């Protein structure tokens, strides 16, 4: 049984992430998408919120499940018996860090990392910039870049009438 683990901060999950999940779902028997706590980042959404959004965003897939995790990616990979870690790459600039993580994870666990290149229509998407534009009051235009459950949450936080409307 081929099992893929797709780990990420997913703060929030966007259409570039969804494209990676869709591809993995075609090539693996089972895919686990995990919102992982990244101690190096201060998230907008709590880990529980991100897990909930992942669940809603991934309902269409029969062989994809989602969860959250606080710990090392290789520990989760072992726990779910993943046969590979799958990560998206948007640009060469992503490669340097990701390559190091892939090599470190392989050295520590023997698990392979497979990279999925972003399609040209999604390669600009980054959670960091989605949050910046949402904060800057451009939340409505982000609806085409994220799955509907994420668009709804961003609207609740940054849309008209919200506490943080145009708060940057
Ligand atoms: O780029 P992201 O989405 O913030 O990725 C987060 C994460 C944790 C998936 C990524 O940093 C990673 O794969 N790290 C590998 C090292 C590890 O296991 N870190 C876990 C937290 S200490």
């Amino acid at each position: 049984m081929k099992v893929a683990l797709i780990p990420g901060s997913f703060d929030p999950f966007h259409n570039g992430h969804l494209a990676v999940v869709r591809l993995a779902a075609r090539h693996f028997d089972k895919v686990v998408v995990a919102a992982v706590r990244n101690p190096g980042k201060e998230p907008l959404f709590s880990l529980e919120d991100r897990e909930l959004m992942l669940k809603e965003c991934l309902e269409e897939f029969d062989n994809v499940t989602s969860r959250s995790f606080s710990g090392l990616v290789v520990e989760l990979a072992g726990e779910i018996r993943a046969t590979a870690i799958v990560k998206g790459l948007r640009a060469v600039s992503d490669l340097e860090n990701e390559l190091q993580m892939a090599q470190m994870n392989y050295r520590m666990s023997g698990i392979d990392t497979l990279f999925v290149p972003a399609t040209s229509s999604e390669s600009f998407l980054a959670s960091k910039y989605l949050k910046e534009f949402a904060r800057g009051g451009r939340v409505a235009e982000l609806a085409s870049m994220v799955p509907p459950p994420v668009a709804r949450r961003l609207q609740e936080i940054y849309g008209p009438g919200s506490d943080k409307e145009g708060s940057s």
Side-chain angles (χ1 to χ4, degrees):
M1 170 117 137
K2 299 226 177 302
V3 180
L5 169 62
I6 306 184
S9 292
F10 303 131
D11 184 47
F13 189 76
H14 56 62
N15 288 348
H17 297 134
L18 185 60
V20 175
V21 174
R22 189 163 280 129
L23 185 142
R26 288 200 301 271
H27 291 276
F28 286 82
D29 301 306
K30 198 178 144 198
V31 177
V32 178
V33 183
V36 179
R37 192 184 298 281
N38 183 344
K41 289 183 181 172
E42 186 58 49
L44 169 63
F45 293 101
S46 70
L47 201 58
E48 294 72 27
D49 248 6
R50 286 179 270 154
E51 181 180 4
L52 199 68
M53 280 190 283
L54 278 182
K55 197 169 160 25
E56 290 172 1
C57 294
L58 300 172
E59 267 172 356
E60 67 180 278
F61 300 98
D62 292 335
N63 62 338
V64 178
T65 57
S66 54
R67 60 171 292 171
S68 58
F69 189 73
S70 297
L72 293 172
V73 170
V74 289
E75 285 170 1
L76 177 58
E79 184 185 315
I80 65 167
R81 296 178 190 280
T83 49
I85 295 168
V86 173
K87 293 248 183 135
L89 282 184
R90 288 167 296 205
V92 179
S93 51
D94 283 342
L95 186 63
E96 202 174 337
N97 259 342
E98 291 296 346
L99 195 60
Q100 230 175 343
M101 270 192 272
Q103 289 165 343
M104 189 74 186
N105 284 340
Y106 183 78
R107 185 67 177 262
M108 300 299 278
S109 68
I111 187 157
D112 293 316
T113 297
L114 304 179
F115 293 120
V116 174
T119 60
S120 56
S121 58
E122 273 132 12
S123 58
F124 69 97
L125 285 173
S127 302
K128 180 169 82 170
Y129 297 124
L130 293 174
K131 285 180 283 192
E132 273 183 29
F133 277 88
R135 266 185 224 116
R138 306 293 290 267
V139 71
E141 291 140 287
L142 303 178
S144 63
M145 304 174 201
V146 295
V150 176
R152 279 198 294 276
R153 292 290 283 117
L154 288 173
Q155 273 288 345
E156 281 165 22
I157 299 173
Y158 294 108
S162 67
D163 290 351
K164 295 186 179 174
E165 181 181 357
S167 65
S168 74

